[in-house]
Amino acid sequence: MKSIEVRLPQDFDKSFIVFKEEGNYFPCPWHYHPEYELVLVLKSTGRRMVGDHIGYFGEGDLVCMGPYLPHVWVNDSIYMNGNTDNGAEAIVIHFQEHFLGEDFLNIPEMETLKNFLKLSQRGIALHGNTKEQINAIMMGMVHMNGIQRLSSLLSIFDILSQTKEYQLLASPGYLNQIDPQGSDRLSKIKEYIFKNFDKEISLPEVAALANMAVTTFCNFFKEQYRITFVEYLNTVRIGHACKLLSETDMNVVEVAFGCGFNNLANFNRQFKKHKKMTPSQFRKVVNMQEVA
């Protein structure tokens, strides 16, 4: 399933977009765009796909996504078939990285927000008090203009920059880009993984890259990522597998070996562990979105 670029029209006198989507169901296909996006579902239920993540949405669901991350919200069949009197409704905010100037995110006060926006490259589902606060602000923004509207978005930024109430959605391996930041240990390790995940990677060689003993490296990595190196490597491989399953006609065996797994049984086991379904089931779900 190939994603397409979709852009919302922007008023000439506004620096960002606040849009209310209303209809029998959400019509937008599997798509991406260069803007950051916040999506608040007001009415309806269904499945949402963000990168290689497949989840479910209902009223009050709130997700933040970074630029060029493919996504789609697909309503349950009762909405698609017109079998309910209740339609689908959502509030969407789009903003570009430099909509307040080239240096806006580089000022000291924006450092924590900048870090959050980096995480949004994988898609972020917000919950708890964070979700409640932002939902209330977004519902009021639809009828705002001018400074009041901008002030509300800045209030959202403030909440996002401080929250820990979130879940990352797409796996690291689904992302198209490699983090180019600096030459620190983690950046070197991540770049090496993304360039070589389709081959056999041993702990000693990665530990040597970080200039650490194997045991020291394992402890360091788990402290940084809260999972082991092998677990992280598998998330990268499974994420890439999802891209191949959704965007190519490669069979499951070809996908498994193309992602660095040296036997099919381990690939199937790891895929089901991460995605709660088999590779074939994942491809079937993706194809269902395309048909819808």
Side-chain angles (χ1 to χ4, degrees), residues 8 31 33 35-39 63-67 69 71 73 92-95:
L8 290 176
H31 70 287
H33 41 72
E35 296 87 3
Y36 289 91
E37 179 173 15
L38 280 161
V39 178
V63 172
C64 177
M65 291 168 290
L69 176 62
H71 55 277
W73 269 239
V92 178
I93 296 177
H94 277 196
F95 62 91

Side-chain angles (χ1 to χ4, degrees), residues 90-109:
I91 297 173
V92 178
I93 296 177
H94 277 196
F95 62 91
Q96 294 189 339
E97 181 173 354
H98 300 300
F99 81 106
L100 289 176
E102 292 289 328
D103 295 323
F104 174 67
L105 287 176
N106 293 324
I107 63 176
E109 291 83 357

Side-chain angles (χ1 to χ4, degrees), residues 42-182:
L42 299 177
K43 295 180 181 178
S44 76
T45 58
R47 291 188 307 271
R48 54 169 155 77
M49 284 185 61
V50 179
D52 61 342
H53 173 85
I54 299 175
Y56 294 88
F57 69 84
E59 295 181 5
D61 187 67
L62 179 64
V63 172
C64 177
M65 291 168 290
Y68 300 105
L69 176 62
H71 55 277
V72 66
W73 269 239
V74 179
N75 286 110
D76 289 330
S77 58
I78 59 170
Y79 298 93
M80 305 294 288
N81 299 331
N83 294 331
T84 176
D85 294 330
N86 299 315
E89 194 172 306
I91 297 173
V92 178
I93 296 177
H94 277 196
F95 62 91
Q96 294 189 339
E97 181 173 354
H98 300 300
F99 81 106
L100 289 176
E102 292 289 328
D103 295 323
F104 174 67
L105 287 176
N106 293 324
I107 63 176
E109 291 83 357
M110 292 296 108
E111 185 64 26
T112 52
L113 175 65
K114 191 174 180 179
N115 292 336
F116 181 89
L117 293 178
K118 285 180 182 177
L119 292 177
S120 73
Q121 292 175 352
R122 291 174 57 185
I124 298 173
L126 296 147
H127 55 84
N129 192 47
T130 296
K131 183 177 78 168
E132 298 303 319
Q133 290 183 70
I134 294 177
N135 287 5
I137 295 172
M138 288 181 67
M139 285 188 281
M141 289 177 71
V142 176
H143 305 293
M144 292 180 185
N145 282 296
I147 293 177
Q148 189 179 28
R149 187 167 170 263
L150 177 58
S151 175
S152 293
L153 183 59
L154 292 176
S155 294
I156 291 174
F157 287 169
D158 180 45
I159 296 167
L160 293 177
S161 69
Q162 299 180 61
T163 187
K164 298 189 184 303
E165 298 177 306
Y166 61 80
Q167 173 197 359
L168 297 178
L169 301 179
S171 61
Y174 189 85
L175 302 181
N176 293 319
Q177 69 273 23
I178 295 170
D179 184 1
Q181 298 296 317

